[in-house]
Amino acid sequence: MDIWQLIERDHENIGGLIREIPYALNDPGAVGGREQMLSDLMAELDLHAIALDASLYGPLNRENQTRALIEDLHRSHAEFRRQLQQLARYSRRNSAGWLDTFEDVTFLVDQHLHRHVHELVPAAQTLLGPEEVAAATRAFVRAKTNALRTRRRRTVAGGLSSEVALVATLAGVAVGLGYLVWNGGRFGGSRSPRAVEAGERVPRQAVRPMPR
C-alpha cells in the first residue's frame, strides 16, 4: 500500500463519518452520540493532517510551484477545524439549525479533500521520484501510528479497539515497505537528500478515488 492508497483510505473514512452523523439526529439520544461522532470526525481529520505534514507537506512546501498550495491547505484545515469546534459546543446546547451548520462546515471539508485529490496528489506525483514516494509513505505511516499511540495513552481503555486495529494495520504496511526497500524492488537504490528528509522528519510525540 503506497501513500496514494493511504490518502484514499483516509478520505473514505472521513466521508463515511460525514455521511453517518446526520442519521444520529433521528436518535432520541442524539446529542451524546452526535458529540462523539463529531469528535471522531475531528480526530480523523487531525490524524490525516499530521500524516500529510510529515510526508508530503514538508517536501512540497520547499518547492516554489507548490508552496502556496501547502499554505492554503494549512489555512483551510485550520478554518474548518475552528468551525467544527464551534459546532461541538452547539451540540451540547442541542441548538436548532445544527444540521444546516454541519452541512456548511463539511462542505469546506469536502473542498479541502477535493484539493488533495486534484492538486496535492498530482503535484506530488510530478515532483517526487519513486524513492521519495517510498520515503513519504513510510513517514505517513510512522507519523499516524505515533499520533494514534499518543492519543491511545490519553484515552480510557474501553474506547480503543478501532485504534489498536489501525495501529496494527499501519505497522503491517511499514513492515511491507521495509521489505520492498531491502529487497531492491521498485524503491531500490540510493535515496536522495530530499527523500531522507521526508522519511525521517517525523514528530516525536471525503470521497474520491486517487489518480494512479
Side-chain angles (χ1 to χ4, degrees):
M1 185 175 288
D2 60 25
I3 190 168
W4 323 124
Q5 293 167 311
L6 292 169
I7 291 171
E8 181 178 8
R9 187 174 66 177
D10 276 5
H11 285 195
E12 289 170 351
N13 291 339
I14 292 164
L17 286 168
I18 289 172
R19 288 189 297 272
E20 287 175 12
I21 289 174
Y23 291 109
L25 300 181
N26 298 321
D27 187 339
V31 174
R34 186 172 63 194
E35 285 181 350
Q36 183 57 56
M37 294 177 78
L38 195 59
S39 175
D40 291 345
L41 174 60
M42 288 191 287
E44 191 70 25
L45 287 164
D46 285 347
L47 287 170
H48 189 56
I50 288 167
L52 286 175
D53 262 325
S55 56
L56 295 183
Y57 282 9
L60 296 183
N61 195 47
R62 293 191 289 273
E63 301 289 341
N64 291 333
Q65 58 267 55
T66 48
R67 186 174 300 118
L69 169 63
I70 301 306
E71 291 172 354
D72 282 349
L73 290 172
H74 275 130
R75 280 193 294 269
S76 66
H77 178 89
E79 176 58 24
F80 69 64
R81 198 182 193 289
R82 181 186 65 79
Q83 294 192 33
L84 285 169
Q85 288 173 323
Q86 289 180 340
L87 195 60
R89 290 194 288 272
Y90 297 155
S91 290
R92 290 190 285 273
R93 297 200 296 269
N94 196 26
S95 65
W98 191 94
L99 182 57
D100 288 340
T101 305
F102 174 78
E103 290 176 348
D104 289 343
V105 179
T106 52
F107 177 73
L108 298 180
V109 174
D110 187 63
Q111 285 184 316
H112 182 80
L113 300 184
H114 185 271
R115 295 194 74 184
H116 284 177
V117 175
H118 295 282
E119 297 181 55
L120 177 71
V121 169
Q125 290 175 331
T126 298
L127 293 169
L128 304 181
E131 295 168 8
E132 293 170 309
V133 171
T137 303
R138 288 193 298 272
F140 187 102
V141 169
R142 191 182 305 126
K144 194 167 183 181
T145 302
N146 289 345
L148 280 166
R149 286 173 174 159
T150 298
R151 193 171 74 184
R152 184 177 63 188
R153 287 195 293 267
R154 298 171 182 170
T155 307
V156 293
L160 297 182
S161 57
S162 62
E163 292 180 7
V164 170
L166 184 51
V167 168
T169 300
L170 291 169
V173 172
V175 169
L177 285 166
Y179 171 77
L180 285 173
V181 174
W182 177 83
N183 202 42
R186 61 182 284 202
F187 300 136
S190 61
R191 295 170 63 190
S192 69
R194 191 164 58 185
V196 171
E197 290 178 13
E200 296 179 355
R201 190 182 52 79
V202 178
R204 301 285 182 183
Q205 5 193 277
V207 181
R208 299 168 178 81
M210 290 290 109
R212 301 297 183 204

